[in-house]
Structure formats: C-alpha cells, structure tokens
C-alpha cells in the first residue's frame, strides 16, 4: 500500500495552533506550555519561519530527550514523532489542550495569534479560576459573616420566588435560605451570596457597582451616578434612576387610561441590566451605562464564552453563564425566564417598540449592548433596503420636515420617474407618508406609525 505523503504546504504559515522552529532550544518549552493552556497546537522542529523544511540534526537523540523534558518540566506527555519532507527530517510535537493549568518554571503562558503571552495579575487570576473547575462566585469569602447579609433582600426574594422555590417561604433563618439556594459552603458565605444579598458588596470588591452617565458627546458629560448595593438593588435602583432622571417618558392615552412609556422599552433595558450583572467578570472594572442623545451603551467587562458568537445572540442559542449561581438565583426569582433567551427578548422588545434592533458587540475586553433611539439612522436605512438616493432623502426630511417630488429630483439630480418610483417605494415600506390633496400640493413626511411599529396602509405616490 502506497504511503500517503505529508504535504508541508498545508503548514506554510504560523498560526494560533502552529509554530515553526528551525532547531530545538529548551526555552521552546514555553511554546508547548502556551499551546497546552490555550487550544492545543503543533510545534514543528526543522522548519524555518517561512514554512520551508530545513531538517534537524541528531533527530534520534531529540526523539529520546524531548518526551522526558516535556514530562519532567511541564508534567505533560504530548505526541512526539519524526516525519520526512523533501528528504529533510522534521520533528512534530503535537499538544492537546490541558484542562488543568500548565506552568513553565512557575510561569503561565497562553497562545495569542502566532505569539505567546505570559499571564500576570488579573489575567492570571481569571485563568487559574477558569481552569480550577469552579466559578469565581462559588468561592468562599473568608472575611464575611451573616451580619453582612441584607435580610430585607432575602424577604423580598421569598415573596417573589414562591412558585419556583416554595421551600423558602416559611424559612425564618436567612442562612437557611442561603443554604437552599446553594450559596453557603462549609457553613461560610460564598461570593455569590454577598453579591446577591449583601448589604455592601463593594466593601469586598470595589468594582461591584454600576456607573450611569449622561453624555452629549463622548467627552462632554452632563451628569453621573454610582449605583451600589447588592445585585437586586442595583437592578431596581438603575431602572428607577432611568425613569426619574435620565430618560424621557412619553405620556399618551388609550381611551380614558393614561399610559406612560420610556423612550426605550423598559423590559429590554431591565433584561440588559440583569444580563450585565449576571454575566460580568467581577475581577474587572465596574459596569458602565452611558446615555447619549441618540443611543444607550451598556458595557460590562468579560467577553462571550468561546462556544457562542456575537451573531448567534439574536437566535436561539445555548447558555453558558459566567456566574451560574447568580443566573440560577435570578431565574428562581422569576427575573429571567430562561437561560440563553435574554438577548432575544431584548431584540424583540426593541422591535415591538418600533426602534432599531440593538447591537451586541465584544469590545474593550468586555461585552456591550447598543440601544438606538432613531430608527432612521443611515445604517438602519440600509438594512431596510434603501438605496443611496432614498437615504439622502430621508436625512433631508429629518432636517427639513418634508420633501416634495421636485425637491427629491433636485437633491439627487435624478429624473421625475425615478423620484416617483423611489418615493412610492418609501411609502410602501412605511418610512414616509404622503400628505396633501391636490397634485401640486403633495409632499412626504416621516411616518410616525413606522416609528411606533403600527400597521401601515400604503397610499399611492404621485
């Protein structure tokens, strides 16, 4: 049977999982360590930086020495094998991802692109916790006692969580409630217990609060507030502050009934804030909520788990909570309905309110939700399928209040048939409405119904 020839051209570029070395040095154990701590990978010895085989000297000795060096220094036993390419002997060390942290002389390395990085400080803490089999919030807080627990918050939970955890209804001792919620370990409070029910979690973790600010521009801030307390209090206080200070409420009547609605859907904001306190990384900085004239940005430290991509958040997806205890208690309290549906609910609520779909982004080492007030932004108009002439016209109407067919022609330097066709399409899409009775009095305005997500009955354009 003919042996299949290995094609080194497939490995012609170094990558996140591939590294070339023309010869062996013991310091390359750092690269093996980094592969093991990240996603695994292959170190090819006898290949230059361009991916060209140059061969190794004394390959037999290396094949004998390398497994011992890897075992004795790193505590792992990767695959070490010899292959030939164009008559050159190549040694390939193939490393699998390790589920326990691997160190090289007491230092920890990870792979980032085609480089290795030493972990230090908070990055090292996160890495060691994530590889310990426990979440950060599961650890005991040795300096805390039951005196640090807010009994009022526990009483509120008992009232709202009767359906999902009926066993806590008649429990009079706070510590017993916490035990039934799996927030006590060996008789001591976990970090989750203090975050959820503490009188002042910020005493233990200085970044466990939400900073709210109102901005005219990125550098021009009008006012700001720090929202402290336990997580239940942070959510409620933030929502109250948005209602009373930071957002405008629209008052309208349905028959004789007065309705007051925020300029952004309240349910979407609440869901986003709950998600931010549940899923954030409490080793990092505080959560930030920035209110601009045309948008809101909610940011918390901590990127998505590698199993989920940003573009999957608007469809059904599995849930991988960063802090499972926090998510579980919020679920039992009835404040979230199902894991993995929060971002879908946020999107649906914005659409129901007639606002653009929110954007979810990974940026600055964290996760952000962007809420937009104006449905007629340039990006959103493109998503609706408008051409450049129509986008220019909508921006004109936003500034001037209306546009006529003749003004459309002059604005876009186009013919009357093209202007009529474009305007008819805008009417059909419910973006503008036609006003005026006589033919020469016809003009077009932005549709308030479209902005409020009400049904549109298209009128024929002229």
């Amino acid at each position: 049977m003919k042996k299949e020839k290995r094609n080194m051209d497939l490995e012609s570029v170094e990558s996140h999982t591939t590294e070339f070395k023309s010869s062996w040095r013991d310091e390359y154990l750092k690269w093996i360590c980094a592969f093991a701590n990240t996603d695994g990978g292959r170190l090819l010895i006898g290949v230059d930086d361009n991916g060209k085989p140059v061969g190794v000297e004394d390959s037999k000795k290396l094949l004998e020495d390398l497994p011992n060096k890897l075992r004795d220094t790193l505590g792992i036993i990767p695959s070490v094998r010899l292959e030939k390419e164009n008559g050159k002997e190549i040694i390939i060390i193939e490393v699998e991802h390790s589920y326990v942290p691997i160190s090289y002389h007491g230092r920890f390395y990870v792979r980032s692109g085609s480089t290795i990085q030493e972990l230090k400080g908070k990055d090292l803490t996160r890495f060691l916790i994530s590889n310990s089999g426990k979440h950060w919030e599961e650890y005991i807080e040795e300096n805390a006692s039951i005196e640090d627990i807010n009994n009022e918050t526990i009483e509120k939970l008992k009232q709202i969580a009767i359906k999902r955890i009926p066993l806590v209804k008649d429990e009079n001792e706070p510590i017993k409630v916490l035990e039934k919620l799996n927030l006590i370990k060996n008789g001591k409070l976990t970090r989750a217990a203090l975050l959820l029910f503490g009188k002042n979690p910020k005493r233990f973790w200085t970044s466990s609060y939400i900073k709210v600010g109102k901005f005219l521009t990125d550098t021009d801030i009008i006012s700001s507030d720090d929202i402290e307390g336990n997580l239940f209090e942070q959510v409620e206080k933030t929502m109250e502050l948005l209602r009373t200070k930071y957002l405008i409420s629209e008052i309208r009547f349905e028959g004789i009934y007065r309705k007051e609605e925020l300029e952004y859907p309240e349910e979407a904001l609440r869901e986003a804030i709950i998600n931010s306190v549940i899923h954030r990384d409490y080793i990092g900085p505080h959560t930030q909520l920035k209110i601009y004239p045309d948008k809101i940005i909610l940011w918390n430290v901590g990127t998505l788990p590698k199993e989920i991509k940003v573009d999957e958040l608007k469809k059904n997806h599995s849930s991988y909570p960063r802090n499972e205890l926090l998510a579980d208690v919020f679920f039992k309290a009835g404040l979230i309905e199902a894991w993995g549906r929060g971002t879908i609910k946020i999107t649906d609520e914005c659409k129901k309110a007639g606002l653009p779909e929110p954007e979810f982004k990974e940026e600055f080492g964290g996760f952000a939700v962007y809420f937009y007030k104006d449905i007629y932004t340039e990006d959103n108009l493109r998503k609706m399928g408008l051409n450049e002439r129509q986008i220019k016209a909508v921006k004109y109407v936003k500034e001037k209040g209306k546009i006529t067919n003749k003004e459309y022609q002059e604005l876009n330097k186009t013919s009357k048939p093209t202007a009529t066709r474009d305007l008819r399409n805008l009417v059909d899409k419910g973006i503008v409405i036609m006003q005026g009775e006589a033919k020469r009095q016809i003009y077009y305005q932005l549709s308030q119904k479209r902005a409020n997500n009400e049904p549109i009955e298209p009128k024929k354009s002229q």
Side-chain angles (χ1 to χ4, degrees):
M1 183 176 178
K2 185 177 179 181
K3 184 177 180 180
E4 185 177 351
K5 183 179 178 182
R6 172 179 159 76
N7 185 359
M8 288 297 296
D9 289 337
L10 296 177
E11 303 285 353
S12 59
V13 179
E14 290 183 326
S15 68
H16 182 64
T17 56
T18 303
E19 180 76 27
F20 302 142
K21 298 297 177 187
S22 57
S23 61
W24 173 259
R25 296 179 186 173
D26 284 352
E27 67 182 82
Y28 297 153
L29 288 167
K30 285 194 294 188
W31 275 255
I32 306 298
C33 171
F35 281 135
N37 284 332
T38 315
D39 297 316
R42 291 146 59 96
L43 182 68
L44 284 71
I45 307 167
V47 180
D48 67 17
D49 290 341
N50 298 316
K52 179 182 177 181
V54 294
V56 291
E57 296 180 1
D58 204 355
S59 59
K60 183 178 179 181
K61 187 174 188 305
L62 273 178
L63 283 174
E64 293 174 354
D65 290 348
L66 283 175
N68 294 328
K69 289 180 184 290
L70 295 165
R71 181 195 61 205
D72 296 342
T73 306
L74 302 179
I76 58 176
I77 307 177
S79 165
V80 181
R81 67 179 187 272
L82 181 69
E83 291 195 12
K84 284 190 176 182
E85 180 70 20
N86 298 331
K88 305 290 186 181
E89 292 187 327
I90 310 298
I91 289 181
I92 300 173
I93 303 174
E94 197 153 16
V95 188
E96 293 185 355
H97 167 66
S98 173
Y99 290 94
V100 296
I102 303 299
S103 67
Y104 171 68
H105 295 323
R107 297 174 182 267
F108 295 84
Y109 299 87
V110 293
R111 189 78 170 171
S112 178
S114 59
T115 67
I116 62 169
Q117 304 289 330
E118 182 183 353
L119 294 173
K120 297 179 180 179
K122 291 181 178 180
D123 289 332
L124 177 57
T125 301
R126 290 190 189 97
F127 172 76
L128 294 175
I129 289 175
S130 67
N131 283 271
S132 69
K134 293 173 64 177
H135 294 267
W136 176 88
E137 88 280 20
E138 293 180 71
Y139 283 84
I140 289 170
E141 184 52 52
E142 296 287 353
N143 297 322
S145 72
I146 195 66
E147 297 300 319
D148 292 301
I149 294 299
N150 186 328
N151 292 338
E152 289 184 10
T153 305
I154 288 183
E155 288 302 315
K156 288 180 181 178
L157 175 87
K158 285 165 62 177
Q159 297 304 315
I160 64 177
I162 289 175
K163 290 184 179 180
R164 289 182 177 173
I165 42 174
L167 293 176
V168 304
K169 177 184 176 183
D170 301 319
E171 192 59 72
N172 294 321
E173 295 183 46
I175 196 164
K176 295 294 184 183
V177 175
L178 298 178
E179 284 176 351
K180 289 177 178 179
L181 294 172
N182 300 313
L183 300 176
I184 299 288
K185 296 282 180 70
N186 300 323
K188 296 183 178 181
L189 296 175
T190 60
R191 292 166 174 170
L194 290 161
L195 283 172
L196 290 162
F197 299 103
K199 292 176 182 176
N200 181 20
K202 194 178 177 185
R203 182 169 78 86
F204 299 94
W205 312 287
T206 55
S207 68
S208 59
Y209 68 99
I210 301 173
K211 180 175 281 294
V212 183
K214 191 163 191 174
F215 294 77
L216 288 178
T217 66
D218 285 337
T219 56
D220 191 0
I221 184 169
I222 300 173
S223 62
S224 67
D225 289 275
D226 291 351
I227 311 298
E228 300 180 10
N230 60 53
L231 300 190
F232 291 110
E233 291 175 324
Q234 285 184 30
V235 173
E236 290 308 316
K237 288 178 182 178
T238 303
M239 290 303 302
E240 182 64 20
L241 199 63
L242 291 176
R243 283 191 291 264
T244 58
K245 181 177 180 179
Y246 283 96
L247 298 181
I248 297 171
S249 293
E250 177 187 350
I251 299 173
R252 61 188 180 87
F253 288 86
E254 291 185 359
I256 63 172
Y257 299 101
R258 181 177 185 270
K259 294 195 71 174
E260 190 171 331
E261 295 179 351
L262 290 179
E263 53 190 307
Y264 295 91
E266 192 164 330
E267 286 302 310
L269 292 173
R270 178 183 293 274
E271 189 74 26
I273 292 166
I274 289 174
N275 278 355
S276 73
V277 300
I278 289 175
H279 298 300
R280 62 157 288 188
D281 181 348
Y282 282 92
I283 300 173
H286 58 267
T287 298
Q288 300 171 22
L289 181 59
K290 297 181 178 180
I291 295 97
Y292 293 86
D294 60 341
K295 63 179 179 286
I296 291 177
I297 303 173
L298 175 62
W299 178 91
N300 60 264
V301 68
T303 54
L304 291 171
K306 61 183 179 181
E307 294 87 355
I308 302 176
K309 306 301 180 188
V310 170
D311 58 7
E312 296 174 333
L313 293 176
K314 293 184 180 181
K315 55 188 178 183
N316 287 328
H317 59 274
S318 298
S319 177
Y320 300 88
R322 183 186 304 278
N323 306 300
E324 289 187 0
L325 287 175
L326 304 185
D328 184 56
V329 173
F330 267 83
F331 172 76
K332 287 173 177 173
L335 297 176
I336 55 175
E337 287 305 313
W339 292 3
R341 286 197 51 81
T343 49
I344 297 174
K345 181 178 180 180
I346 293 167
T347 302
D348 289 345
E349 291 295 330
C350 288
K351 289 165 68 175
K352 281 197 297 184
L355 297 180
E357 289 189 9
E359 284 189 283
F360 304 111
K361 300 181 181 180
E362 286 189 294
E363 57 185 13
F364 312 121
F367 179 77
V369 184
Y370 282 66
F371 293 94
Y372 297 102
K373 186 193 301 185
D374 186 2
I375 196 167
Y376 301 116
T377 62
E378 191 167 324
D379 285 345
N380 206 49
L381 292 172
R382 283 201 175 86
K383 291 176 183 177
M384 294 180 191
L386 272 60
N387 60 42
E388 295 303 317
R389 296 186 303 273
Q390 292 171 315
I391 291 172
K392 187 185 293 187
V394 172
K395 291 167 71 175
Y396 179 92
V397 178
K398 284 174 66 177
E399 180 183 352
K400 305 292 185 181
K402 63 182 181 179
I403 192 169
T404 64
N405 191 303
K406 184 176 181 181
E407 287 171 335
Y408 191 100
Q409 296 172 48
E410 293 171 350
L411 179 68
N412 288 298
K413 296 180 174 54
T414 191
S415 65
K416 183 176 181 180
T418 298
T420 301
R421 185 171 59 252
D422 283 355
L423 287 166
R424 181 183 298 117
N425 180 257
L426 289 174
V427 172
D428 291 342
K429 287 179 180 291
I431 294 171
V432 300
I433 56 173
M434 188 174 66
Q435 303 280 25
E437 296 299 329
K439 190 171 183 179
R440 291 186 178 180
Q441 297 175 341
I442 295 294
Y443 62 92
Y444 301 85
Q445 290 181 315
L446 293 179
S447 169
Q448 290 303 311
K449 287 187 176 183
R450 180 67 178 83
N452 293 329
N453 203 35
E454 297 175 19
I456 304 293
E457 294 181 8
K459 267 179 94 174
K460 288 187 178 180
S461 173
Q462 296 183 22

